[in-house]
Each structure stands twice: as C-alpha cells, then as structure tokens.
Amino acid sequence: MTDFFNDLEGEIPHLRRYARSLTKERDSADDLVQACLERAISRSSLYQEGTNRRAWLFKIMYNLFISEKRSQARVVRLQDSLDPDRHVSVAASQHHSVELTQVGEALDRLPAEQREVLLLVALEGMSYEEVAEIMEIPIGTVRSRLSRAREAMRDNFKVEGETRAG
Amino acid sequence: MPDRNNALALDREILSEYVDGQLDDNARVNVATHLAEHPADAEVVDEYRRQTTAINAAFDPILQEPVPDDLIEIVRKGRSGSLESDGRDGNRAKWMLMGVAASVVLFLAGIAGGWYYRGYQETARLNAMVIQQFVRSASNAYVLYDRDTDRGGDFRSERMKDFVQWMYDSFGDNFTPPKLEAIGFSFAGGRLLPTAVGPAAQMSYRDEENRRVTLYFVKGEKTEYASDMSAFKPQRFGKFDTFFLQDDKRSIYFWQRSPLKYALVGEMEQSELSKVTEDIVGQLFGKDDK
C-alpha cells in the first residue's frame, strides 16, 4: 500500500500541471489538486495495480472539475432567474492564460471541450482510449474534437504570429 | 458524389492519429508514404507537431515548480491513515465538499464530532454499511414509533398541511408527499426523528385493515452502490431501481434519488408492499425522463 502513496506523491507535479490547464489560475488549480488527492486516497482500494495510475487520477480530477463547472453554471442561472437585469460579467468566464504566450492565448480561444481533448493528448500524452475514459465520451468524439482543435489552432496560432492585436 | 469537406475532415483526423502514434503499423506506413508525396499534408503534420511543442513549452514550467507543502501533507496523512479536515480552508473547502463521499462523512459524523476517513478503508464496503445502517434505522423506527405507543418526536402532526409545510421548509422542492388513497392507504401522521446523520422524516399511512406502512427518508449525498448489495433483492419499477430486504416481520424497499434516501417499511408480504412502492415511486419520479 505504501507504493500507492509514494507514487501518488510523485504524481503531484503532473496533477498540478493538468489542473492548471483546466482552471487557468494557480489557487483554484491547487484546490482542485487537493480535492483530487483526497478523493483518490479515499478510493485507493478501487485502484487496480498495474493500470494507468495517471489516467485514473486525471479522471477523478476531470470529474471534480466538470461538477464544479456545472454547479457554477447552475448558480449563475439561478441568479439570472432571480434578477434578470443583473449584469453578468463576461470576464468571469475568461481567465488570463496560464502563460501569457501566443499558444496560451490560442488555446483560450478554443471551445472548452476541444481544448480539454487537445491538452490531454498533446500535453499529457494520453492515448485516445484514455481520453475517452477520462472524459466519458466515445472515442470517435475524441478524434473529431482533437482534429477540430488542431485545425482551429492552425488559424489562431498563425494569426497570432502575424499581428498582435490588442 | 463524395462530400469534399467531410473527406478533408477525415483526412485531417488520420493525420492527427498519425502524429499521436494511434495508427497500426500498416496504416502508419501508408500515411508516411502519402506524406512523402503530398507536401501540403506534410506541412499540416509539421504544424500539428509545432503546436504540441509549443503547448509543452508553455506548461512545462509548472512541472518544475516546487510542490506546495499542503499538497504533500495530504498524501502523507493519507499514508498514515489520519487524513483529517474541518473544511475551514476557504477555497479549499469548496472543492472538498464535493470531493468527499458525503456518505462517509455522514456515517462517521456521530462518532468523532468532526469527520475523517481512513485511506485504507474500502469505500465500497463502507457504502454498503451506510445503506444497511439507514435501512436498519427505518426498520427500527417502524417498530418504535407506532402511532399507538407514541414516544414523541421533534415534530408530530396528523394534519397533512402542517407536515407538508414542515417538509417544504426542510427539503424544499425536492420532495412532494405521496398520496396513497388510490391504493387504500390514508395518511396517518408524520414524524421527525433525530439520527446520527441529521433529521429523518417518517410518514405513516394506514389502510382500512389497519395495516401500516411508513415512508422514511433522509437528506444526504447519494451513496454509490457497492458491488456488494447482495443482502438486497433489486427490483425495477419502470426505469427506476429499488432494493428489497426482509427484516424479521418487516418488508422493506430502499431507493435513493439525490438528495434523498428512502425506505418504505411495512409488515406484509413483498408482493403487497411492492404495489405501494410502485405507486410511491411513480408519484415521486413519474416525470423523470431517465
């Protein structure tokens, strides 16, 4: 059992990186990592030795992330229904890039589900099957979202290179 | 006539798979050959690879950051089996409320005052215990809180209206009291009973033969069904799953639908209670699409 915890500690930098790619902002990313670690520890007996531990952890983290996004959306909808004249700040949904680089800003322009697939494949090196498992989507959806993401990035990235519009 | 846009999209998917090493050997060789003869596609592949390089370069610094102490501390506490939290960490609390299986929280809340879980506990076994504990409480409450031997409770009203108001205050829109006149049962009273997991509501119904059933329910996070629900017999009503258990003279149906857990108890055969369950489940969840 101690191997599980040693390995888990070794995964923390990767969990932090993946969390940052999801949440953009450092504090909430580390909050997400904390919740992920706690849930992983409580489910340690459910992890099958020999299977991909990182994919198992990323799935836990992605589920937590999506649940929080949904409950935030519910809060916003509830607020809207209670006070339709309330100005909803669009800025709330735009986080500044993890790194203020061209690729960071290009990633930000992608629809969330495309970005999430692209990051799991290009950044975290997950196989398409692992991505399908983590995000609970069909493997065909993984392929099409990934392909659309890469094509959109070709436009975003190039444009960034040519002009630096504000 | 082939759809050009679709064909192009499919080609790009294949190029993506090629870049990610997701093609089998034959397909990979075919694509490599194709790229050698089609420089435009080869350029697309290069661009995909440049994207990957840039993405990794942007995020790698995070990998090199020193790990915050509090994250390491969690793993160490998990290893020693003493992970503890009182949820006071501001933002951290937000994630933790979602992150913890609340059924574990509920089960242990009465024991230590705070809450904790042990890393070595089998979550699955614990969940099965939570469910059995709940069902046992419902069964005991059926015996203890018989209308004719009133031992009191925090709330008691034989008037449906008062009870409904209290229910709404406690559970909001999540619950509408079932009416069982159609199958011969009338509402005989409601109780609020203290349990280790918070107040449980018990609604009693009686028929003309004075047979009694109680609907017992409590609010809390859904408990995941362990693979070991072997003590129960599953029964499906429409698209809804319930679980049956016999406890001495009492037949009991258990089910849950966020945010409530329910147990229906009656001293009768399963087949009889099944009809009551069917009616109640239909009223509570009849509008569900799932």
Side-chain angles (χ1 to χ4, degrees), chain A residues 90-110:
Chain A
V90 174
S93 63
Q94 284 174 352
H95 309 273
H96 65 267
S97 295
V98 173
E99 305 298 317
L100 291 175
T101 61
Q102 293 175 5
V103 74
E105 289 174 12
L107 283 170
D108 280 351
R109 295 224 189 106
L110 295 176

Side-chain angles (χ1 to χ4, degrees), chain A residues 6 31 34 42 128 150-151, chain B residues 16 20 48 91-92 95 123:
Chain A
N6 283 342
D31 289 346
Q34 171 162 347
S42 78
Y128 293 4
R150 281 177 160 149
E151 284 299 297
Chain B
S16 235
D20 298 326
Y48 290 175
N91 266 342
R92 297 276 203 249
W95 292 103
T123 305

Side-chain angles (χ1 to χ4, degrees), chain A residues 1 8 10 92 103 118 123 146:
Chain A
M1 265 296 185
L8 187 61
V103 74
L118 178 60
L123 184 61
L146 178 62

